[in-house]
Amino acid sequence: MRPISPRDAQFSEFVVARSPQLYRNALLLTTSPDAAEDLVQTALAKVYAAWWRVRGAEDPVAYAHGVLIKAFLSERRRRSSTEVPVAETPDVAARDPDVAERLALMAALATLAPVDRAVVVLRHWEDRTVAQTADALGITEAAVKNRSLRALRSLRGVLEPRPAPVTTPEIAQRRTR
């Protein structure tokens, strides 16, 4: 058995400390636990390959998150024809309201375009600035603002129940005239 190098030990510490956060963001991006695990593994493999550059970066965590976002967007562009998304998730944990809310959120996020989903995750879950989000995604700040506005409007439309129109006897009487 070969001894663990200092490089491997540093990377292992990084993975143990940052994997939960990377997984959470990957889950929000992919809306699927299996796809999220695959995405994290892909991102960590790329980070490991460039670990000499990552550990010298100003913020290795931001670097890893950038790799995760880029891997997600790249994967969305070249989606294999053999992967078929499921229309409905099994009703396994619908009894737990937190799980039901999470499933509703994942379904709503899945309706967004991949770049819009990435903007929402970076801006609102990671609490990044417009400039940081634009830099991570390689788009302009105006595009981040525009996509964020449209994505949030779309999510509200999917997540908020629409109230029934209020009809009072007075309004109903006016309509019949």
Side-chain angles (χ1 to χ4, degrees):
M1 187 168 132
R2 102 181 175 182
I4 296 176
S5 71
R7 172 186 178 210
D8 289 348
Q10 287 176 337
F11 181 74
S12 294
E13 289 174 21
F14 178 82
V15 169
V16 168
R18 297 303 172 187
S19 286
Q21 185 181 17
L22 287 169
Y23 176 77
R24 185 197 72 213
N25 289 342
L27 182 61
L28 290 168
L29 289 168
T30 62
T31 68
S32 162
D34 296 330
E37 288 175 4
D38 291 345
L39 181 60
V40 170
Q41 288 301 315
T42 299
L44 288 175
K46 290 180 180 188
V47 168
Y48 180 76
W51 186 243
W52 60 271
R53 182 175 44 232
V54 175
R55 69 177 177 207
E58 187 175 312
D59 188 356
V61 176
Y63 188 100
H65 280 282
V67 169
L68 182 87
I69 294 292
K70 287 178 178 80
F72 166 72
L73 293 174
S74 176
E75 183 66 29
R76 302 312 287 181
R77 276 188 225 106
R78 61 180 161 83
R79 179 176 210 137
S80 170
S81 61
T82 62
E83 296 176 8
V84 180
V86 182
E88 292 184 30
T89 58
D91 194 19
V92 174
R95 292 173 215 95
D96 183 359
D98 289 340
V99 171
E101 286 179 10
R102 264 194 307 276
L103 288 174
L105 176 62
M106 293 301 167
L109 283 171
T111 65
L112 298 177
V115 175
D116 291 344
R117 196 177 322 152
V119 167
V120 169
V121 169
L122 290 174
R123 287 282 294 131
H124 301 285
W125 270 275
E126 287 193 7
D127 200 26
R128 291 192 188 186
T129 65
V130 171
Q132 290 170 331
T133 303
D135 187 47
L137 296 175
I139 59 178
T140 66
E141 290 183 25
V144 168
K145 292 176 186 177
N146 190 7
R147 286 182 173 277
S148 180
L149 179 70
R150 283 186 298 157
L152 290 175
R153 188 178 299 142
S154 175
L155 287 174
R156 279 187 202 104
V158 172
L159 292 172
E160 290 179 358
R162 300 205 193 313
V166 178
T167 313
T168 63
E170 183 181 301
I171 294 173
Q173 190 177 30
R174 274 191 249 151
R175 287 185 183 161
T176 59
R177 290 183 194 170

